[in-house]
Amino acid sequence: MYKILIADDEGIVTDSLQYIIEKNFGSECSVGIAKNGRQAIELAENFQPDIALLDIQMPGINGLKAMEEIQAQNPKVKTLILTAYDNFDYAKEALRLGAVDYLMKPVNKKVIVERLTSIMHQIDEERQKRRDDLLVKEKMEAVIPIIENGFIVSLIIQNEYEDSGEQYRRLLKLEEDYGIIMVLEWGEKREGEGMGNPVGSGVRAHKYYDKMAELVKVYFKAFVSNIMGNKMVCVIPSRETRLEYGDRLCMIEKARSLVTSLKNMAGIDFKAGIGSVRPWAAMFDSYQEALNALRHGKRRVTHIDDLIVRNTEEKHRQAMENMVLDAVRGGMEHDVRQEATVFAGWILKNKECSFADAKFKLMELLLLAKRLVGDPENGCTGYQKKIAGFLGCESQEKLQQSFVTAMVEMARAVVIKNQEPDGLITKAQEYIRQNFRKDIALEEVARLVNISPYYFSKLFKEETGMNFTEYLTGLRIETAKTLLKNREMSIKQVCLDSGYANPNYFSRIFKKWTGITPTEFRDAY
C-alpha cells in the first residue's frame, strides 16, 4: 500500500491525477487531496504520505514551503513537484530542497504513471532494506549475548583463549584497552564466606536473567556473562589505566544501587565484588580480585582496594584454604579449579611472601588435601610424580598451574571414591533411610559426611539426580503409600510413621506428589 498526497488549487488537476492513480494502481494506493499548502501540511500530519504531488503555485503557503514542512515531519516522503513552464526556476529550487522529480503542466498520463511506478519501486527497495536491517538487528540481538559470554569466558579462563579475546573485541567493536571485572553473587542469606542456598537461588535467577542483564547495562556500560551457578560476571571497559578515588566511589555507589534494584526485582539477596583495572591480557587477575572482594568483603559491594586484610591475613588465608578443601571433599572439579587458582594467585602475589615460602604454603595445602582423599590407589594416580613436579617448578605461573592440576586430580579421586559402596553419598543415603522419620536437615547430613552443605547439596544432586529435599520427601511418600495399604492404621499414625508431625501438611505434600489425598489413595487401593 502506498499513500499519495495530491495538493493543487485547481480541482481539475487533482481530479485528473486521482483518476489516473486509481485507474492504473487501484487498491495499491490510498489518495488524499488538499487544495492549498496549509491543507497539505495538516493532512500530511495524520495521513503520513509515502508520495506527495505538490503544485508550486498555490495560494497562501506555496508548494516549496509546504514541501519543507512536510519533509520536516516525515523525511521519508518522496515529493513530486507540479510546475508550469514559467515556474521552471522554482522546480530547480525544489530539486535542491530534496524533491525527487518534477512534472510539467499539463500533466501527461503516461509520464505520471512512469514517474509514480519508479518512485514506488524505490519505496519498495527502501522498505525491503529496512526489513533486512531489522532482521539483521534481530539476529544480532540474539547472538550478542553469546558473543559477550564467549568474550568473558576467554578473559577469566587463564591462558586458554588469548587469540579469541581479540576476535571477540573486534566483534563487539570494543575500542578500550583496559577493563574491570565485577562479579555478582546471589542467594537467600549469607552463610560463612558465601550466600545461602546457592543452587535453589541459581535456578530461580534463570527466570530473571534477561532483566538482570538489562539492569546491569542500565547502570554500567558492561558486557554480561551467562549465569554461572549463583554468579554472573560483568566486564566494564575502561580507557584509563586505573580508577581515581572519586571514580571508585562513584562505581561503588552505582553497584550498590544495582544490587538493590536486582534484589527488588528477583526477591533474593545480591552482593558485588569489584576488581581493579587491568589490560585485557591480565583480566584474570581482576577476576581473582573480584572473587576475593566478594568472599571477604563485609558489605553488599566491595572493591578490592577497600578490602583490608593486613590485620586478618591468617584468618583470610584459612578461609580461602577451607574453600579449596571443601571443593575437594565434594569432588567438584570446576569449583576446585576456580578456588585453587584464586588461592594460589593470592599466595603468589603476597609481597611479604617469597617464592620459596609461597611454594611451602601451597605444598602444605596439597598434603592436607591428600590426607582428605586417602591413598593414591583410590584414584589419585601418579601422586608422587606430581609432587616431585610441583617442587621442581621455577616460575610462579608453572607453580600455580601445577598446584591447580594436583588439586583437580584429587577432586577426581574423590568422585571415584564416592562411587564405591562406602562412598559419601551412599553413606548419606543410608543415614537418611534410617532417620527419615526424624526432623533431619541437609546441614546435619553434610556434617555427617564432613563436607560443607553447599558442596554436599551439589554432589548429592549430581549422584542421585535429585536434590536432598526431593530425595527425603520421596522416601517418606513411598513409606506412606505402603502404610496406607494397612486399613487398621489411622491416617494420623501413617503421617507420624512417615516422618510428618502435621497431618494437614502431610496430606498436602502427599497430594502434590501423587495427585490424590491419602484417603483417596487408600480407597483406590
Side-chain angles (χ1 to χ4, degrees):
M1 172 68 73
Y2 308 94
K3 295 180 181 179
I4 301 177
L5 168 64
I6 303 171
D8 198 301
D9 60 327
E10 298 180 57
I12 189 170
V13 174
T14 57
D15 291 344
S16 298
L17 289 171
Q18 184 173 8
Y19 173 78
I20 292 170
I21 291 168
E22 291 176 348
K23 182 177 181 182
N24 288 272
F25 301 102
S27 59
E28 290 184 52
C29 296
S30 174
V31 179
I33 303 295
K35 294 184 178 180
N36 55 53
R38 179 183 58 79
Q39 285 186 9
I41 294 168
E42 291 174 348
L43 179 59
E45 288 181 1
N46 295 320
F47 188 56
Q48 291 294 303
D50 301 301
I51 304 170
L53 286 84
L54 305 177
D55 181 29
I56 288 181
Q57 286 294 95
M58 289 188 291
I61 301 175
N62 66 31
L64 295 183
K65 293 293 184 182
M67 173 182 151
E68 287 185 277
E69 290 287 339
I70 292 170
Q71 286 188 335
Q73 59 177 281
N74 182 8
K76 295 177 182 177
V77 66
K78 311 294 182 188
T79 306
L80 269 172
I81 290 297
L82 305 176
T83 180
Y85 284 105
D86 57 349
N87 291 328
F88 189 67
D89 288 341
Y90 287 127
K92 289 193 291 183
E93 176 64 11
L95 292 175
R96 188 187 70 79
L97 292 173
V100 295
D101 209 341
Y102 64 89
L103 297 175
M104 306 295 290
K105 289 184 176 181
V107 177
N108 181 283
K109 174 185 173 183
K110 182 179 179 182
V111 172
I112 187 66
V113 170
E114 288 177 352
R115 293 285 198 284
L116 287 175
T117 300
S118 175
I119 293 171
M120 288 174 185
H121 286 161
Q122 185 179 349
I123 291 172
D124 288 342
E125 289 175 358
E126 291 177 359
R127 286 175 176 173
Q128 185 61 47
K129 184 177 183 303
R130 282 198 294 274
R131 284 194 292 269
D132 292 342
D133 290 345
L134 285 173
L135 184 61
V136 170
K137 186 176 181 180
E138 184 179 51
K139 289 180 178 178
M140 283 303 295
E141 287 296 320
V143 170
I144 283 175
I146 299 173
I147 297 174
E148 286 189 21
N149 186 66
F151 171 55
I152 292 172
V153 170
S154 75
L155 298 178
I156 66 176
I157 297 183
Q158 196 176 30
N159 297 326
E160 290 192 23
Y161 297 100
E162 291 182 357
D163 296 334
S164 300
E166 186 175 348
Q167 293 172 5
Y168 283 123
R169 292 199 297 276
R170 284 201 298 270
L171 288 171
L172 294 169
K173 299 180 180 178
L174 185 55
E175 298 178 355
E176 291 86 351
D177 295 323
Y178 305 92
I180 302 165
I181 293 283
M182 177 174 69
V183 179
L184 295 170
E185 182 182 27
W186 52 86
E188 293 182 355
K189 60 181 179 178
R190 188 177 177 88
E191 286 188 0
E193 298 295 338
M195 303 290 280
N197 191 18
V199 177
S201 59
V203 172
R204 184 175 179 181
H206 275 279
K207 295 190 302 182
Y208 297 97
Y209 170 74
D210 291 338
K211 292 181 179 179
M212 287 164 59
E214 187 178 322
L215 260 178
V216 171
K217 294 181 180 184
V218 168
Y219 287 92
F220 297 96
K221 177 193 172 185
F223 302 107
V224 182
S225 76
N226 292 339
I227 289 176
M228 301 176 178
N230 68 327
K231 294 183 181 66
M232 177 186 284
V233 180
C234 310
V235 174
I236 305 168
S238 172
R239 295 186 183 277
E240 307 299 327
T241 58
R242 63 187 297 271
L243 280 181
E244 297 297 335
Y245 179 74
D247 295 330
R248 188 170 87 239
L249 291 184
C250 180
M251 174 173 278
I252 291 171
E253 285 305 314
K254 286 202 292 183
R256 283 176 178 163
S257 298
L258 170 62
V259 297
T260 299
S261 298
L262 289 169
K263 179 180 179 180
N264 292 337
M265 179 190 68
I268 48 181
D269 289 328
F270 280 80
K271 286 185 64 183
I274 305 173
S276 58
V277 181
R278 302 280 183 172
W280 297 123
M283 286 303 291
F284 182 75
D285 293 333
S286 186
Y287 175 58
Q288 285 182 303
E289 291 170 344
L291 289 177
N292 278 332
L294 192 64
R295 275 195 202 98
H296 306 294
K298 302 301 181 184
R299 297 178 292 275
R300 288 182 304 153
V301 177
T302 304
H303 191 284
I304 190 63
D305 290 349
D306 296 327
L307 186 63
I308 307 300
V309 296
R310 293 190 192 97
N311 297 330
T312 58
E313 185 170 329
E314 184 60 26
K315 181 180 177 182
H316 180 63
R317 182 174 69 85
Q318 288 176 357
M320 296 180 74
E321 286 179 349
N322 289 335
M323 296 289 285
V324 178
L325 295 176
D326 276 346
V328 171
R329 284 192 193 99
M332 302 298 175
E333 181 178 335
H334 172 77
D335 290 25
V336 169
R337 189 182 302 279
Q338 176 176 292
E339 302 297 346
T341 302
V342 169
F343 177 73
W346 182 80
I347 290 290
L348 291 167
K349 291 181 185 303
N350 189 334
K351 295 179 181 179
E352 298 179 2
C353 186
S354 67
F355 182 72
D357 288 339
K359 185 183 289 188
F360 177 74
K361 291 180 185 297
L362 295 176
M363 185 68 192
E364 278 186 324
L365 192 57
L366 274 176
L367 293 172
L368 184 55
K370 169 64 176 57
R371 286 198 294 274
L372 291 174
V373 172
D375 296 331
E377 288 75 22
N378 288 336
C380 189
T381 57
Y383 179 77
Q384 298 298 334
K385 185 177 180 181
K386 287 189 179 298
I387 291 297
F390 176 82
L391 293 173
C393 292
E394 297 297 333
S395 69
Q396 288 190 357
E397 183 179 356
K398 290 289 185 183
L399 186 65
Q400 183 178 33
Q401 185 178 5
S402 179
F403 174 77
V404 172
T405 301
M407 284 296 186
V408 169
E409 284 291 327
M410 282 187 273
R412 289 173 182 164
V414 168
V415 173
I416 295 171
K417 191 173 182 180
N418 287 344
Q419 292 171 348
E420 298 172 356
D422 61 343
L424 293 182
I425 299 307
T426 302
K427 184 177 179 181
Q429 288 175 305
E430 181 61 28
Y431 181 81
I432 296 168
R433 283 193 292 270
Q434 291 177 3
N435 296 276
F436 72 90
R437 292 178 178 85
K438 302 177 183 177
D439 184 18
I440 59 174
L442 180 145
E443 289 76 14
E444 177 185 341
V445 185
R447 193 180 304 113
L448 173 76
V449 295
N450 196 31
I451 60 176
S452 71
Y454 171 66
Y455 286 111
F456 173 72
S457 176
K458 292 182 69 173
L459 183 60
F460 193 90
K461 179 70 179 286
E462 285 187 3
E463 291 290 321
T464 66
M466 62 184 76
N467 63 38
F468 172 81
T469 302
E470 290 171 338
Y471 182 83
L472 178 60
T473 304
L475 191 58
R476 287 172 170 172
I477 296 301
E478 288 304 314
T479 300
K481 287 162 117 180
T482 301
L483 296 176
L484 284 168
K485 294 174 184 178
N486 180 1
R487 289 185 171 274
E488 296 180 359
M489 184 177 284
S490 68
I491 299 292
K492 183 177 181 181
Q493 191 59 47
V494 170
C495 165
L496 293 172
D497 288 357
S498 300
Y500 293 100
N502 187 319
N504 291 330
Y505 179 70
F506 165 65
S507 293
R508 287 200 303 273
I509 293 296
F510 191 93
K511 185 172 182 179
K512 182 177 178 181
W513 273 69
T514 65
I516 56 178
T517 66
T519 302
E520 289 170 338
F521 178 88
R522 170 170 278 178
D523 291 343
Y525 178 75

